[in-house]
Amino acid sequence: MMKAKPFVALTLSVLVGLLALSGAAFARDEENRNLHGQENREKTIPEDVNPGLNHLLDLVTPGKAESLDMQAVKPVLDFVASDKSPDDIFVADNSFGAPSAYIEVDLNQSLEDLLQISYNPDIPAYLLTPSSMRLGYWKTVSQGKESYANLWERLSGLTDPILVRGVETVENTPDIHTGAYYKYDLDRLLILFKYQGRNVFLSLSRQKDRSDVGKKGIVLGDDKDWNYLYSGEKGINKFGLGWVDSYMYESSSIIVYYESEPGKPRLRCAVFKWLKAGWKNINMVKSHHIYNGMQRWAKDYKTIVEHPNFPGSASLVNAWTQIEAIDVEELKRVNHLYYQSLQKRYADDDAVSSRWAAGVLEDESRIDQCNVHELRSVVVIEYLKSVLGKPYEVDVLSRYGLDSGKIKLSRN
């Protein structure tokens, strides 16, 4: 088996991660009113799109389908490319057996550049999804690393669809409302092909089994600051519900990157998402919870990939190579510095006002229980904050001499 390499799965790994229980039954009254307002805006995805969605979900499921049926997928792509009212929130019908939501975001980015930074086996999967994804790395790839390395170089002369299969491990960040976070495996499928003269890239995922039991986490300060605590204790960080053994039972996603104008740096990124999560095998998730979680992801993703200071792929690969080379003891030291800084920054924050939450922040012994992936993730996010000009807790650029991103993306 090949060494597991990180690989952005925007997936909903990226999106799945981002959802967890998504507030479910625990939202405040004011938020509930907002959610009901969203429900009134919901529209069902056109019926002729369903066969294509089912075909893509079958494709990512081992043993169900092997080749891409372009005739089935055509209505999906036409729906993605169509103009829509910004007031409409689309959901799939009940035939899929799980709550769903759809979101799209237009990016000033070429597919070539996006593949280099988002789907590169030498850049960590969670770099572009700091508010939704703590960890993400491929456990297996069916055809080996060479099958998905340098996908961007295969755009030139692309004829037949390119399919890459594998299994990815994902852990999400704490949910804003419940504090819960989850770890789970996904069957993954990447497809690169042409449609009506446009390059199209699909990132598909389907959860293999139910997740590990949900654990208590904390969002520190504003979610946009990307500071999170992971207690390692099972339960939900909500008064009276700390005992709950919650799980993500099912999650599937279809992500479409569609060239809006061939040859120009303009992409539409569209996501179809299904999710079941809760406890005692009872699903607590509604479509509006999924949609809100997807918005959390989309806002950060667009901001990062379009940021004028965001490094090019060469800088990112170089920085990650240096982070991988840091030994475990040094990773622990920088994690201690990180949490000590958080203690000072958030000493008076409501999020850590309870005795339990304050205890989690003060108990640095949990750092010794972290694996190397978890320890590195802190360095990666501090690196990202630094290069984007956001407040950071540890100056990892100076500490490790990491590349701050002198090589920019080439935008036409």
Side-chain angles (χ1 to χ4, degrees):
M1 183 182 297
M2 63 171 285
K3 178 184 176 184
K5 296 289 289 184
F7 187 67
V8 160
L10 211 213
T11 26
L12 289 208
S13 332
V14 208
L15 286 180
V16 178
L18 91 183
L19 295 171
L21 292 181
S22 285
F26 316 114
R28 300 181 302 272
D29 289 342
E30 180 180 357
E31 183 188 8
N32 275 327
R33 288 194 292 273
N34 292 334
L35 295 181
H36 292 315
Q38 288 183 16
E39 286 181 322
N40 293 333
R41 295 160 54 198
E42 287 180 2
K43 285 190 174 183
T44 303
I45 292 171
E47 188 175 350
D48 68 338
V49 178
N50 289 344
L53 296 177
N54 277 306
H55 169 61
L56 293 174
L57 293 175
D58 284 346
L59 266 181
V60 75
T61 306
K64 294 203 71 174
E66 294 298 327
S67 59
L68 181 66
D69 183 344
M70 286 300 302
Q71 196 60 34
V73 172
K74 181 180 183 299
V76 177
L77 300 180
D78 291 345
F79 173 74
V80 168
S82 67
D83 294 330
K84 305 171 188 70
S85 169
D87 293 329
D88 292 337
I89 296 176
F90 285 92
V91 299
D93 65 28
N94 295 330
S95 65
F96 291 86
S100 67
Y102 170 86
I103 195 170
E104 60 187 37
V105 56
D106 290 320
L107 304 172
N108 293 315
Q109 186 69 275
S110 71
L111 183 57
E112 179 181 358
D113 279 342
L114 187 130
L115 290 174
Q116 288 187 56
I117 60 176
S118 280
Y119 292 86
N120 187 329
D122 295 316
I123 296 174
Y126 45 87
L127 180 66
L128 276 72
T129 60
S131 64
S132 57
M133 192 175 182
R134 181 191 190 188
L135 296 173
Y137 51 90
W138 282 52
K139 296 173 66 175
T140 62
V141 180
S142 57
Q143 299 98 343
K145 178 181 175 179
E146 65 278 1
S147 66
Y148 64 91
N150 304 334
L151 280 171
W152 51 93
E153 294 181 355
R154 302 165 80 172
L155 290 169
S156 177
L158 181 63
T159 53
D160 297 331
I162 298 171
L163 281 71
V164 180
R165 297 181 181 276
V167 176
E168 182 183 32
T169 295
V170 171
E171 186 171 51
N172 56 12
T173 59
D175 177 75
I176 292 175
H177 303 292
T178 68
Y181 63 98
Y182 304 85
K183 192 172 185 178
Y184 45 92
D185 284 347
L186 298 165
D187 284 314
R188 297 279 285 110
L189 174 61
L190 309 178
I191 310 176
L192 185 63
F193 62 99
K194 278 194 177 292
Y195 173 71
Q196 296 182 349
R198 289 171 165 83
N199 291 314
V200 179
F201 182 69
L202 303 181
S203 177
L204 314 177
S205 71
R206 200 161 203 175
Q207 192 172 321
K208 291 182 69 66
D209 300 296
R210 80 175 187 180
S211 70
D212 290 352
V213 65
K215 296 177 181 178
K216 299 178 185 178
I218 303 171
V219 179
L220 293 173
D222 195 310
D223 190 45
K224 67 183 180 183
D225 293 333
W226 306 334
N227 290 319
Y228 308 104
L229 280 180
Y230 301 89
S231 73
E233 302 175 23
K234 71 176 184 178
I236 288 177
N237 183 18
K238 209 71 178 174
F239 181 74
L241 292 169
W243 56 271
V244 168
D245 288 351
S246 64
Y247 298 90
M248 286 176 55
Y249 298 117
E250 299 176 24
S251 64
S252 303
S253 67
I254 296 169
I255 306 175
V256 182
Y257 297 91
Y258 181 89
E259 284 187 334
S260 303
E261 297 182 62
K264 294 186 178 181
R266 184 76 172 169
L267 285 176
R268 173 159 292 178
C269 175
V271 184
F272 302 84
K273 172 68 186 164
W274 294 263
L275 177 68
K276 283 185 176 180
W279 58 88
K280 295 185 180 297
N281 291 314
I282 300 173
N283 174 54
M284 301 300 294
V285 176
K286 306 294 184 182
S287 290
H288 47 242
H289 302 132
I290 303 174
Y291 180 76
N292 282 356
M294 294 165 80
Q295 283 187 310
R296 182 187 186 191
W297 160 79
K299 182 178 179 181
D300 270 356
Y301 187 65
K302 181 176 175 65
T303 297
I304 293 169
V305 302
E306 293 184 350
H307 198 286
N309 292 335
F310 189 66
S313 59
S315 295
L316 295 174
V317 170
N318 183 50
W320 174 244
T321 300
Q322 291 175 263
I323 292 171
E324 277 192 306
I326 301 171
D327 65 51
V328 172
E329 290 307 311
E330 176 61 15
L331 288 172
K332 288 181 180 179
R333 278 191 285 274
V334 77
N335 272 255
H336 280 293
L337 291 174
Y338 172 72
Y339 287 109
Q340 288 165 6
S341 179
L342 291 182
Q343 285 184 53
K344 296 177 182 177
R345 182 186 292 269
Y346 297 106
D348 299 321
D349 191 274
D350 289 343
V352 291
S353 59
S354 71
R355 181 178 299 177
W356 172 84
V360 173
L361 185 56
E362 293 168 3
D363 180 16
E364 294 189 30
S365 66
R366 71 187 181 289
I367 294 173
D368 294 327
Q369 309 304 316
C370 291
N371 62 39
V372 69
H373 297 294
E374 295 163 345
L375 294 171
R376 284 176 182 155
S377 70
V378 168
V379 181
V380 169
I381 300 306
E382 290 300 281
Y383 165 78
L384 179 62
K385 293 176 187 176
S386 298
V387 298
L388 297 185
K390 295 175 68 72
Y392 54 83
E393 310 306 317
V394 182
D395 185 0
V396 296
L397 293 182
S398 297
R399 189 178 182 88
Y400 305 116
L402 300 178
D403 192 335
S404 61
K406 297 296 187 293
I407 303 173
K408 302 296 182 186
L409 295 172
S410 57
R411 292 193 173 91
N412 299 324

